[in-house]
Amino acid sequence: QVQLVESGGGLVQAGDTLKLSCVASSSGFKIGDIGWYRQAPGSQREFVALLSIDGSPTYADSVKGRFTASRDNAKSTMNLQIDSLKPEDTATYYCYAPTYRIWGQGTQVTVSS
């Protein structure tokens, strides 16, 4: 079974930069595309970015220009760098493998003013 584990969240200040990671359970990462989603308190889970197997990203309009998704297939790792963090970025961030419909457990990002 494919398993995904996110890390890198924490309490940060507005304007900071943060890098989140999503690691697959196996070194033989064969799940293709990986998505990033986030869910703020009291809100629906929303799409953030989709990263193809060749590293080509697609971003939601709400995060375009500040978020950068990347992947290292040799390390079975997908990263999401968030620049110029804003309080409205506060959410739990999840990675998702659409081929297997499997989610990670999420990592919490809290941005203070």
Side-chain angles (χ1 to χ4, degrees):
Q1 298 292 328
V2 174
Q3 292 183 303
L4 306 173
V5 179
E6 303 97 332
S7 63
L11 177 62
V12 296
Q13 293 185 328
D16 285 354
T17 294
L18 191 65
K19 188 171 79 173
L20 310 180
S21 295
C22 173
V23 180
S25 60
S26 175
S27 60
F29 187 66
K30 306 293 185 182
I31 65 175
D33 296 355
I34 286 288
W36 282 98
Y37 291 74
R38 68 183 181 183
Q39 187 167 15
S43 300
Q44 300 281 355
R45 189 170 298 184
E46 66 173 344
F47 170 77
V48 172
L50 180 68
L51 195 62
S52 69
I53 189 67
D54 66 359
S56 180
T58 302
Y59 300 101
D61 289 341
S62 60
V63 305
K64 192 177 300 181
R66 295 191 300 113
F67 284 43
T68 304
S70 61
R71 66 191 297 165
D72 184 342
N73 290 337
K75 297 181 178 180
S76 301
T77 301
M78 288 67 65
N79 298 317
L80 183 69
Q81 181 170 304
I82 311 173
D83 297 317
S84 301
L85 280 155
K86 302 176 180 180
E88 50 263 44
D89 294 322
T90 295
T92 302
Y93 286 74
Y94 301 87
C95 56
Y96 176 63
T99 300
Y100 297 93
R101 302 183 184 275
I102 292 176
W103 297 88
Q105 86 290 344
T107 185
Q108 177 67 39
V109 175
T110 303
V111 185
S112 63
S113 300

